[in-house]
Amino acid sequence: MSQSWPSVSRAEMVTPQVIVVGSCMTDLVSVTPRLPKAGETIHGSKFFIGFGGKGANQCIQAARLGVKTSMVCKVGKDSFGNDYIANFTKNHVSTDFVGQTAEAATGAASIIVNAEGQNAIVIVAGANLLLDSEDLKRASTAISRANVLVCQLEIRPEISLEALKMARSSGVKTIFNPAPAVAQLDPEFFTHSDIFCCNESEAEILTAAPVNSPQEAGTAGALLLEKGCKVVIITLGGEGCVILSQEDPTPKHISTNKVKAVDSTGAGDSFVGALAYYMALYPHLCMEDMVKRSNYIASVSVQTAGTQTSYPHRAELPQGMF
Ligand SMILES: Nc1ncnc2c1ncn2[C@@H]1O[C@H](COP(=O)(O)OP(=O)(O)OP(=O)(O)O)[C@@H](O)[C@H]1O
């Protein structure tokens, strides 16, 4: 297999505090008055290319808040892959474990956003699906020394699970974001995540219970606790989120500030990235406090168009957040 790795000396490698094993996607975004129906062609008002992929989004949000981060991922040996590596560098994310392959194209996501900020997305994972156990082995020392490891489901699920197990065996805190959701999730994901963080539709798919309100999120969250999760967070868009845990199984609705949403694409990733930041650098905070602050940061992200372009930097946030 043709692939290459950046050559870095030991001295150049800085131990990351947050390490994300996950996806990189080039976002091809069309802005339209409404989402098209099946078989329909409509005119959009704007097109732009952006950086996305749940893993990279989460990593970049964490980095912008000021924590040392590293991404374990694979991109294509193509212009989108080269641009993505430059994007990580620009955002101070370590690329020590970003591989490039000629066997597949950099992952791509075609995104349609309507006037209300709702979206519809098609993903072609490409190089993301070639991230393998060897890549994890290469990053194993960094993983074992990190404070927090974050995984999602835009790479092969068995690789995410292997990363969670590697982190857990070294006492590293794990956040698992089961997105995009699959109904038949390997049950080990529930037991190997310190924090299991999903949105409403993912919670519905995983529990087969409806999630249309904070109360229903609490009910679905209880089903996720039964499956072995330690702490469950279900995000609810403008309603904030619901948290519950084995220690405190009474669901708590943590509402967020009311804002005018312009584009909610990637809000969930902003939330997860912020949570990773707080877990890595503010472990003394209680989960409720971390979640309140993560809600706030994600609510800032929905007020600007784009995915990573909407993620706030530390300097743009109230100092009380830190
Ligand atoms: N309209 C909004 N107003 C305020 N905060 C919001 C809004 N939408 C999202 N958020 C914040 O972002 C978090 C995640 O949102 P949401 O539940 O929509 O994630 P998601 O569905 O995974 O998003 P995406 O798939 O677009 O990344 C919420 O918990 C909340 O903190």
Side-chain angles (χ1 to χ4, degrees):
M1 187 184 281
S2 165
Q3 57 184 42
S4 61
W5 292 90
S7 63
V8 277
S9 69
R10 284 226 149 268
E12 281 178 282
M13 286 192 175
V14 180
T15 303
Q17 295 154 314
V18 169
I19 190 153
V20 178
V21 177
S23 58
C24 293
M25 301 275 180
T26 302
D27 288 345
L28 306 166
V29 185
S30 299
V31 181
T32 59
R34 60 185 173 80
L35 303 183
K37 299 189 186 99
E40 188 187 18
T41 301
I42 60 169
H43 282 280
S45 56
K46 195 175 160 194
F47 173 79
F48 59 92
I49 296 177
F51 295 106
K54 288 177 183 298
N57 291 345
Q58 294 168 10
C59 196
I60 281 174
Q61 177 63 91
R64 287 191 183 167
L65 298 175
V67 65
K68 277 183 264 173
T69 55
S70 187
M71 189 71 202
V72 181
C73 64
K74 196 162 274 177
V75 295
K77 247 185 196 160
D78 49 31
S79 58
F80 286 149
N82 294 342
D83 289 350
Y84 221 120
I85 291 170
N87 180 53
F88 281 134
T89 304
K90 190 176 146 206
N91 281 282
H92 307 289
V93 171
S94 159
T95 57
D96 290 349
F97 309 112
V98 179
Q100 271 191 295
T101 177
E103 307 296 313
T106 299
S110 301
I111 301 174
I112 300 170
V113 183
N114 75 7
E116 281 82 50
Q118 293 170 314
N119 58 54
I121 303 176
V122 177
I123 290 169
V124 180
N128 291 295
L129 298 184
L130 299 184
L131 192 72
D132 60 21
S133 294
E134 287 307 310
D135 301 322
L136 289 184
K137 276 196 198 101
R138 231 172 259 120
S140 61
T141 305
I143 291 175
S144 68
R145 292 179 183 165
N147 300 9
V148 174
L149 174 129
V150 188
C151 285
Q152 323 72 26
L153 289 176
E154 282 183 342
I155 57 171
R156 281 161 46 217
E158 60 270 29
I159 300 303
S160 291
L161 187 55
E162 194 178 332
L164 290 171
K165 288 181 177 176
M166 279 171 84
R168 270 307 207 53
S169 68
S170 302
V172 176
K173 292 278 181 220
T174 56
I175 302 177
F176 178 56
N177 174 220
V182 288
Q184 300 305 321
L185 187 66
D186 186 324
E188 284 196 289
F189 276 108
F190 300 112
T191 50
H192 284 81
S193 319
D194 290 304
I195 310 291
F196 192 94
C197 180
C198 59
N199 68 12
E200 292 154 294
S201 61
E202 289 145 8
E204 282 187 355
I205 290 168
L206 290 167
T207 63
V211 182
N212 299 306
S213 65
Q215 197 189 2
E216 287 182 347
T219 307
L223 294 172
L224 292 170
L225 287 186
E226 273 175 28
K227 291 178 189 282
C229 297
K230 288 194 179 51
V231 177
V232 173
I233 302 173
I234 301 180
T235 62
L236 303 168
E239 291 290 323
C241 60
V242 162
I243 61 170
L244 60 168
S245 64
Q246 296 287 353
E247 274 177 19
D248 187 0
T250 307
K252 282 197 185 65
H253 177 206
I254 314 289
S255 56
T256 187
N257 46 326
K258 294 273 169 263
V259 298
K260 181 168 169 23
V262 173
D263 179 0
S264 70
T265 317
D269 297 334
S270 171
F271 181 95
V272 171
L275 184 64
Y277 165 83
Y278 285 113
M279 284 175 63
L281 295 193
Y282 295 77
H284 57 280
L285 286 180
C286 68
M287 189 46 62
E288 207 174 312
D289 262 356
M290 293 192 204
V291 161
K292 274 183 196 158
R293 293 172 196 220
S294 304
N295 258 347
Y296 182 87
I297 289 166
S299 80
V300 172
S301 81
V302 304
Q303 295 174 64
T304 312
T307 305
Q308 292 174 17
T309 47
S310 70
Y311 291 175
H313 291 79
R314 182 187 179 116
E316 296 157 348
L317 293 161
Q319 280 319 291
M321 302 284 291
F322 302 100

PDB file of all heavy atoms in Angstrom, residues 90-108:
ATOM      1  N   LYS A  90      -2.218  25.094  10.738  1.00  0.00           N
ATOM      2  CA  LYS A  90      -2.676  26.460  10.990  1.00  0.00           C
ATOM      3  C   LYS A  90      -3.424  26.548  12.330  1.00  0.00           C
ATOM      4  O   LYS A  90      -3.377  27.561  13.022  1.00  0.00           O
ATOM      5  CB  LYS A  90      -3.603  26.865   9.834  1.00  0.00           C
ATOM      6  CG  LYS A  90      -3.978  28.315   9.818  1.00  0.00           C
ATOM      7  CD  LYS A  90      -4.815  28.606   8.573  1.00  0.00           C
ATOM      8  CE  LYS A  90      -5.837  29.677   8.900  1.00  0.00           C
ATOM      9  NZ  LYS A  90      -7.002  29.610   8.051  1.00  0.00           N
ATOM     10  N   ASN A  91      -4.110  25.466  12.687  1.00  0.00           N
ATOM     11  CA  ASN A  91      -4.890  25.452  13.935  1.00  0.00           C
ATOM     12  C   ASN A  91      -4.120  24.847  15.116  1.00  0.00           C
ATOM     13  O   ASN A  91      -4.713  24.526  16.145  1.00  0.00           O
ATOM     14  CB  ASN A  91      -6.201  24.694  13.724  1.00  0.00           C
ATOM     15  CG  ASN A  91      -7.230  25.543  13.008  1.00  0.00           C
ATOM     16  OD1 ASN A  91      -7.849  26.401  13.614  1.00  0.00           O
ATOM     17  ND2 ASN A  91      -7.374  25.328  11.706  1.00  0.00           N
ATOM     18  N   HIS A  92      -2.812  24.689  14.947  1.00  0.00           N
ATOM     19  CA  HIS A  92      -1.933  24.180  16.017  1.00  0.00           C
ATOM     20  C   HIS A  92      -2.296  22.764  16.468  1.00  0.00           C
ATOM     21  O   HIS A  92      -2.138  22.416  17.636  1.00  0.00           O
ATOM     22  CB  HIS A  92      -1.932  25.146  17.216  1.00  0.00           C
ATOM     23  CG  HIS A  92      -1.606  26.551  16.814  1.00  0.00           C
ATOM     24  ND1 HIS A  92      -0.349  26.939  16.418  1.00  0.00           N
ATOM     25  CD2 HIS A  92      -2.392  27.638  16.695  1.00  0.00           C
ATOM     26  CE1 HIS A  92      -0.368  28.221  16.081  1.00  0.00           C
ATOM     27  NE2 HIS A  92      -1.594  28.669  16.238  1.00  0.00           N
ATOM     28  N   VAL A  93      -2.822  21.963  15.541  1.00  0.00           N
ATOM     29  CA  VAL A  93      -3.079  20.546  15.827  1.00  0.00           C
ATOM     30  C   VAL A  93      -1.874  19.760  15.317  1.00  0.00           C
ATOM     31  O   VAL A  93      -1.460  19.945  14.174  1.00  0.00           O
ATOM     32  CB  VAL A  93      -4.361  20.052  15.110  1.00  0.00           C
ATOM     33  CG1 VAL A  93      -4.513  18.539  15.227  1.00  0.00           C
ATOM     34  CG2 VAL A  93      -5.595  20.765  15.660  1.00  0.00           C
ATOM     35  N   SER A  94      -1.313  18.897  16.161  1.00  0.00           N
ATOM     36  CA  SER A  94      -0.166  18.098  15.728  1.00  0.00           C
ATOM     37  C   SER A  94      -0.576  17.144  14.609  1.00  0.00           C
ATOM     38  O   SER A  94      -1.615  16.469  14.695  1.00  0.00           O
ATOM     39  CB  SER A  94       0.384  17.301  16.914  1.00  0.00           C
ATOM     40  OG  SER A  94       1.138  16.209  16.433  1.00  0.00           O
ATOM     41  N   THR A  95       0.269  17.080  13.559  1.00  0.00           N
ATOM     42  CA  THR A  95       0.010  16.171  12.431  1.00  0.00           C
ATOM     43  C   THR A  95       0.959  14.967  12.456  1.00  0.00           C
ATOM     44  O   THR A  95       1.128  14.292  11.444  1.00  0.00           O
ATOM     45  CB  THR A  95       0.141  16.923  11.083  1.00  0.00           C
ATOM     46  OG1 THR A  95       1.456  17.497  11.016  1.00  0.00           O
ATOM     47  CG2 THR A  95      -0.891  18.006  10.940  1.00  0.00           C
ATOM     48  N   ASP A  96       1.560  14.723  13.631  1.00  0.00           N
ATOM     49  CA  ASP A  96       2.505  13.598  13.740  1.00  0.00           C
ATOM     50  C   ASP A  96       1.867  12.277  13.299  1.00  0.00           C
ATOM     51  O   ASP A  96       2.554  11.375  12.828  1.00  0.00           O
ATOM     52  CB  ASP A  96       2.970  13.440  15.193  1.00  0.00           C
ATOM     53  CG  ASP A  96       3.869  14.581  15.629  1.00  0.00           C
ATOM     54  OD1 ASP A  96       4.301  15.367  14.761  1.00  0.00           O
ATOM     55  OD2 ASP A  96       4.138  14.697  16.841  1.00  0.00           O
ATOM     56  N   PHE A  97       0.550  12.159  13.489  1.00  0.00           N
ATOM     57  CA  PHE A  97      -0.120  10.884  13.184  1.00  0.00           C
ATOM     58  C   PHE A  97      -1.187  11.034  12.096  1.00  0.00           C
ATOM     59  O   PHE A  97      -2.174  10.304  12.069  1.00  0.00           O
ATOM     60  CB  PHE A  97      -0.719  10.295  14.470  1.00  0.00           C
ATOM     61  CG  PHE A  97       0.278  10.238  15.587  1.00  0.00           C
ATOM     62  CD1 PHE A  97       0.134  11.037  16.712  1.00  0.00           C
ATOM     63  CD2 PHE A  97       1.405   9.426  15.484  1.00  0.00           C
ATOM     64  CE1 PHE A  97       1.078  11.021  17.731  1.00  0.00           C
ATOM     65  CE2 PHE A  97       2.356   9.402  16.489  1.00  0.00           C
ATOM     66  CZ  PHE A  97       2.199  10.198  17.610  1.00  0.00           C
ATOM     67  N   VAL A  98      -0.964  12.006  11.220  1.00  0.00           N
ATOM     68  CA  VAL A  98      -1.836  12.150  10.042  1.00  0.00           C
ATOM     69  C   VAL A  98      -1.141  11.466   8.874  1.00  0.00           C
ATOM     70  O   VAL A  98      -0.066  11.895   8.455  1.00  0.00           O
ATOM     71  CB  VAL A  98      -2.095  13.645   9.699  1.00  0.00           C
ATOM     72  CG1 VAL A  98      -2.981  13.757   8.454  1.00  0.00           C
ATOM     73  CG2 VAL A  98      -2.747  14.370  10.881  1.00  0.00           C
ATOM     74  N   GLY A  99      -1.721  10.391   8.363  1.00  0.00           N
ATOM     75  CA  GLY A  99      -1.126   9.658   7.244  1.00  0.00           C
ATOM     76  C   GLY A  99      -1.775  10.063   5.925  1.00  0.00           C
ATOM     77  O   GLY A  99      -2.913  10.547   5.911  1.00  0.00           O
ATOM     78  N   GLN A 100      -1.024   9.887   4.818  1.00  0.00           N
ATOM     79  CA  GLN A 100      -1.582  10.148   3.482  1.00  0.00           C
ATOM     80  C   GLN A 100      -1.493   8.882   2.660  1.00  0.00           C
ATOM     81  O   GLN A 100      -0.443   8.235   2.648  1.00  0.00           O
ATOM     82  CB  GLN A 100      -0.788  11.262   2.787  1.00  0.00           C
ATOM     83  CG  GLN A 100      -1.338  12.650   3.078  1.00  0.00           C
ATOM     84  CD  GLN A 100      -0.720  13.719   2.189  1.00  0.00           C
ATOM     85  OE1 GLN A 100       0.467  13.972   2.286  1.00  0.00           O
ATOM     86  NE2 GLN A 100      -1.519  14.344   1.350  1.00  0.00           N
ATOM     87  N   THR A 101      -2.559   8.519   1.977  1.00  0.00           N
ATOM     88  CA  THR A 101      -2.583   7.312   1.166  1.00  0.00           C
ATOM     89  C   THR A 101      -2.944   7.641  -0.281  1.00  0.00           C
ATOM     90  O   THR A 101      -3.743   8.558  -0.519  1.00  0.00           O
ATOM     91  CB  THR A 101      -3.596   6.284   1.732  1.00  0.00           C
ATOM     92  OG1 THR A 101      -3.632   5.163   0.866  1.00  0.00           O
ATOM     93  CG2 THR A 101      -5.000   6.862   1.847  1.00  0.00           C
ATOM     94  N   ALA A 102      -2.351   6.855  -1.201  1.00  0.00           N
ATOM     95  CA  ALA A 102      -2.717   7.014  -2.614  1.00  0.00           C
ATOM     96  C   ALA A 102      -3.843   6.048  -2.984  1.00  0.00           C
ATOM     97  O   ALA A 102      -4.325   6.036  -4.116  1.00  0.00           O
ATOM     98  CB  ALA A 102      -1.495   6.752  -3.493  1.00  0.00           C
ATOM     99  N   GLU A 103      -4.265   5.237  -2.024  1.00  0.00           N
ATOM    100  CA  GLU A 103      -5.266   4.188  -2.298  1.00  0.00           C
ATOM    101  C   GLU A 103      -6.702   4.694  -2.293  1.00  0.00           C
ATOM    102  O   GLU A 103      -7.616   3.976  -2.688  1.00  0.00           O
ATOM    103  CB  GLU A 103      -5.156   3.063  -1.246  1.00  0.00           C
ATOM    104  CG  GLU A 103      -3.768   2.488  -1.079  1.00  0.00           C
ATOM    105  CD  GLU A 103      -3.276   1.785  -2.340  1.00  0.00           C
ATOM    106  OE1 GLU A 103      -4.055   1.003  -2.900  1.00  0.00           O
ATOM    107  OE2 GLU A 103      -2.132   2.049  -2.745  1.00  0.00           O
ATOM    108  N   ALA A 104      -6.929   5.881  -1.769  1.00  0.00           N
ATOM    109  CA  ALA A 104      -8.296   6.418  -1.715  1.00  0.00           C
ATOM    110  C   ALA A 104      -8.224   7.938  -1.646  1.00  0.00           C
ATOM    111  O   ALA A 104      -7.201   8.505  -1.246  1.00  0.00           O
ATOM    112  CB  ALA A 104      -9.040   5.876  -0.492  1.00  0.00           C
ATOM    113  N   ALA A 105      -9.320   8.583  -2.013  1.00  0.00           N
ATOM    114  CA  ALA A 105      -9.384  10.049  -1.958  1.00  0.00           C
ATOM    115  C   ALA A 105      -9.661  10.504  -0.523  1.00  0.00           C
ATOM    116  O   ALA A 105     -10.208   9.755   0.289  1.00  0.00           O
ATOM    117  CB  ALA A 105     -10.493  10.542  -2.871  1.00  0.00           C
ATOM    118  N   THR A 106      -9.274  11.725  -0.225  1.00  0.00           N
ATOM    119  CA  THR A 106      -9.646  12.338   1.049  1.00  0.00           C
ATOM    120  C   THR A 106     -11.174  12.295   1.177  1.00  0.00           C
ATOM    121  O   THR A 106     -11.885  12.514   0.193  1.00  0.00           O
ATOM    122  CB  THR A 106      -9.156  13.809   1.075  1.00  0.00           C
ATOM    123  OG1 THR A 106      -7.735  13.796   0.940  1.00  0.00           O
ATOM    124  CG2 THR A 106      -9.544  14.510   2.371  1.00  0.00           C
ATOM    125  N   GLY A 107     -11.663  11.974   2.376  1.00  0.00           N
ATOM    126  CA  GLY A 107     -13.110  11.914   2.596  1.00  0.00           C
ATOM    127  C   GLY A 107     -13.790  13.212   2.184  1.00  0.00           C
ATOM    128  O   GLY A 107     -13.207  14.295   2.292  1.00  0.00           O
ATOM    129  N   ALA A 108     -15.031  13.088   1.693  1.00  0.00           N
ATOM    130  CA  ALA A 108     -15.758  14.285   1.255  1.00  0.00           C
ATOM    131  C   ALA A 108     -17.192  14.244   1.776  1.00  0.00           C
ATOM    132  O   ALA A 108     -17.799  13.170   1.876  1.00  0.00           O
ATOM    133  CB  ALA A 108     -15.751  14.374  -0.267  1.00  0.00           C
TER     134      ALA A 108
END
